[in-house]
Amino acid sequence: MNIHSPFDQMIAMLEHSHVFMYMIIDQEGRYRYINQKMASVTGWDKSLIGNRKFDEQIHYADVDFLRQQVQQCLQHPDEKLSVIARYLIDEHQHTIQWEMSAIQIQEGEYAVQAMGVLLSGDPLDDFTASKYTHQFSEYLDGVSDGFFALDRNWTFIKVNRFFESVTGLSRQEMIGRSFWDFFPDTNDQAYAAAMRKAFDLEETITFEQPWPPDYHFAVSATPSKEGIICYFIDITLQKKQQLELLANEIKLKAILDSTTDINILISADLKILNFNRTADLLSKEYFNAQLHIGASFSKYVPKELEHYFREHFERALSGEKLTTERPVALMNGDVLWFEFLYYPVYSEVGDMLGVAMNITNIDARKKAEMKLLQQYDRMREIAYLQSHEARAPLSNILGLINVLMLYTEKTNDPEILQVLELLNVSATRLDTVIQKIVSNTRHE
């Protein structure tokens, strides 16, 4: 989890709660945040919530009291207050019991955070308030989230059924006994340090608590007038998915780091999102520059390749997959050939993440290819010289042979006749070979 403050932690934990409503009210009396549960109950658009005042749709009999409680929280950040308020929304009445406290958003700025559960019924009097308190307890017993409350001596004063099922202890065993009688106060348990911190600092502390063998919880420890209240939700599935994702990321990184290819992921605005070990090592070796996630990739592109890189990067952003080969001049004066592969990268939902570059050193292969081409060119040149330089004297020889063949009728010397015949056959064969060489050279 990328959570950096109690404010962020509480939002992350309660955003998808099916039981508890959660809201943040700023110093101007406007909603800064509501979770999905509150949005579903009220029908309010979460994206427009910042324009809504917290007391707009409160029952007229409750509005003054609610305003006083909110101001009390802002003026006395160390106090924890409880209030029941009725909301009139689309001709329907929703009664919500809130537990309120102040939270520091930034230096010198406070807001009010409130966690609540939905109640129901007619306008409250003392009797119905008592009824709702009982109903609240019953409601906590029926939810799938965990809950327990301790007094200032760390003694259990309330637990719900889910907490009983997780611990394997009944409420009769726990109520009236110290929390530390059942759960060790040791440094190797996250709950011990977190709950003591919440108690000592009088602020909400959120943390994760493994609960072998079946559970992993996200927990919120909130101080109250009586002592401390702990809410926890089951994040076992999310944690398992996180661990699987992390394991896959480690495997993928191991594969990428083991290759001799350079792999770099670049965002649409040219920021480095990821790179493998080879990319970092070769960047240091070739360009004397260390790669950094978040740095602009532009500063790692040689000036002579900048136009070429921009062109291919933009084409990849538009969805193309491109492969090119180019020589690159290094800082030491050497020139190496590289193959550049550009391709777009998308998220699981189809959003463009950026462009991946795979760069392969093909210098040895490329130089071998160039050497073969040079050798081939030299062979073609030799073949051309051999064929064309030899063709002229051979033509003269063939002409002389033809002239001499005219005199065969004037001589009866068999040796002369045999020599002329052999010269004619050999010259004709040589002419056939040279014609083939000339023909092949032209075709190439």
Side-chain angles (χ1 to χ4, degrees):
M1 293 185 179
N2 295 321
I3 296 173
H4 305 290
S5 71
F7 173 71
D8 296 327
Q9 291 173 331
M10 184 66 80
I11 288 177
M13 190 178 73
L14 294 175
E15 168 65 17
H16 302 288
S17 176
H18 298 294
V19 177
F20 299 107
M21 285 175 284
Y22 185 69
M23 65 179 178
I24 303 289
I25 301 169
D26 64 22
Q27 292 177 330
E28 303 300 322
R30 296 187 182 278
Y31 288 108
R32 183 180 178 126
Y33 166 81
I34 63 172
N35 69 348
Q36 290 186 12
K37 176 67 174 178
M38 187 172 180
S40 66
V41 169
T42 60
W44 296 338
D45 187 338
K46 281 170 59 67
S47 64
L48 302 176
I49 199 63
N51 297 321
R52 189 181 293 275
K53 298 279 285 187
F54 82 94
D55 56 0
E56 283 182 9
Q57 292 175 286
I58 306 299
H59 191 283
Y60 72 91
D62 299 335
V63 67
D64 287 339
F65 179 63
L66 183 60
R67 289 171 180 167
Q68 291 171 8
Q69 297 296 84
V70 169
Q71 287 302 313
Q72 183 77 0
C73 281
L74 291 172
Q75 293 168 8
H76 303 280
D78 56 329
E79 290 190 21
K80 309 295 185 295
L81 304 175
S82 179
V83 60
I84 294 176
R86 289 163 291 178
Y87 292 73
L88 300 175
I89 301 171
D90 297 331
E91 299 181 356
H92 296 285
Q93 178 173 296
H94 304 284
T95 304
I96 302 174
Q97 179 168 329
W98 295 107
E99 294 291 330
M100 294 183 170
S101 61
I103 186 170
Q104 186 171 356
I105 304 301
Q106 57 187 19
E107 187 66 30
E109 181 183 352
Y110 285 86
V112 173
Q113 66 172 351
M115 183 184 298
V117 292
L118 180 66
L119 306 176
S120 60
D122 298 319
L124 299 177
D125 52 25
D126 290 340
F127 173 75
T128 52
S130 175
K131 180 183 73 174
Y132 284 131
T133 300
H134 174 72
Q135 185 176 359
F136 185 46
S137 297
E138 290 297 315
Y139 193 79
L140 287 174
D141 266 343
V143 300
S144 58
D145 296 343
F147 168 86
F148 64 88
L150 310 173
D151 65 17
R152 291 192 171 273
N153 294 318
W154 299 98
T155 301
F156 280 106
I157 55 177
K158 187 176 292 187
V159 300
N160 73 343
R161 289 196 183 99
F162 185 75
F163 186 65
E164 289 181 292
S165 67
V166 168
T167 61
L169 301 168
S170 69
R171 66 188 63 193
Q172 288 78 15
E173 293 177 84
M174 291 184 280
I175 300 297
R177 293 186 60 182
S178 172
F179 177 85
W180 308 114
D181 288 345
F182 302 98
F183 306 104
D185 186 8
T186 58
N187 293 330
D188 60 340
Q189 293 292 342
Y191 64 77
M195 290 175 61
R196 288 196 178 279
K197 184 177 180 180
F199 195 86
D200 294 339
L201 300 181
E202 286 290 312
E203 64 180 40
T204 298
I205 302 296
T206 59
F207 59 97
E208 291 186 11
Q209 178 65 49
W211 200 274
D214 299 321
Y215 294 105
H216 197 103
F217 296 113
V219 188
S220 167
T222 303
S224 68
K225 288 182 178 180
E226 292 81 9
I228 193 167
I229 297 173
C230 286
Y231 302 95
F232 55 95
I233 59 175
D234 184 2
I235 60 168
T236 306
L237 178 60
Q238 296 95 309
K239 199 65 180 178
K240 181 180 179 182
Q241 292 171 341
Q242 284 180 5
L243 293 174
E244 289 176 351
L245 179 61
L246 179 60
N248 290 334
E249 288 178 351
I250 291 173
K251 291 177 184 176
L252 178 60
K253 182 170 177 57
I255 293 172
L256 291 176
D257 282 346
S258 65
T259 181
T260 57
D261 289 354
I262 296 170
N263 290 283
I264 304 175
L265 178 60
I266 308 167
S267 68
D269 59 352
L270 292 176
K271 295 293 189 299
I272 298 176
L273 299 178
N274 209 341
F275 56 86
N276 69 342
R277 181 172 177 269
T278 304
D280 193 36
L281 291 175
L282 295 185
S283 179
K284 295 174 187 174
E285 179 182 350
Y286 292 160
F287 302 106
N288 196 28
Q290 185 171 1
L291 297 175
H292 296 282
I293 292 178
S296 174
F297 186 72
S298 301
K299 71 177 186 178
Y300 300 97
V301 181
K303 288 186 177 180
E304 62 272 18
L305 296 180
E306 188 171 347
H307 176 74
Y308 158 84
F309 164 74
R310 291 275 185 175
E311 176 188 349
H312 289 78
F313 183 82
E314 293 297 331
R315 289 175 63 183
L317 274 181
S318 66
E320 291 187 60
K321 183 177 180 180
L322 309 162
T323 302
T324 59
E325 298 177 355
R326 286 190 66 88
V328 178
L330 306 182
M331 294 182 66
N332 62 4
D334 293 340
V335 176
L336 297 182
W337 277 86
F338 291 93
E339 180 185 77
F340 296 85
L341 170 62
Y342 298 79
Y343 56 93
V345 178
Y346 302 91
S347 69
E348 292 183 356
V349 296
D351 296 330
M352 170 69 76
L353 295 179
V355 171
M357 285 183 62
N358 181 272
I359 306 173
T360 305
N361 185 337
I362 59 170
D363 192 66
R365 173 174 67 81
K366 197 68 178 178
K367 288 179 178 176
E369 290 176 357
M370 293 171 67
K371 186 175 181 180
L372 286 174
L373 287 174
Q374 290 173 353
Q375 292 174 345
Y376 177 71
D377 287 341
R378 285 198 295 269
M379 290 177 65
R380 287 185 61 186
E381 183 180 356
I382 292 170
Y384 177 83
L385 290 173
Q386 286 179 340
S387 62
H388 288 75
E389 292 296 327
R391 189 72 178 82
L394 179 61
S395 296
N396 293 334
I397 293 172
L398 287 170
L400 289 173
I401 290 173
N402 287 332
V403 171
L404 291 173
M405 291 297 289
L406 295 174
Y407 291 95
T408 57
E409 297 177 357
K410 298 180 180 182
T411 181
N412 294 321
D413 188 336
E415 290 185 1
I416 294 175
L417 293 174
Q418 185 178 12
V419 168
L420 288 175
E421 181 63 25
L422 290 174
L423 282 173
N424 187 41
V425 171
S426 297
T428 302
R429 286 179 180 176
L430 182 58
D431 184 51
T432 301
V433 171
I434 291 175
Q435 287 182 18
K436 285 183 178 179
I437 293 173
V438 172
S439 176
N440 289 337
T441 304
R442 287 173 179 170
H443 287 321
E444 292 296 335

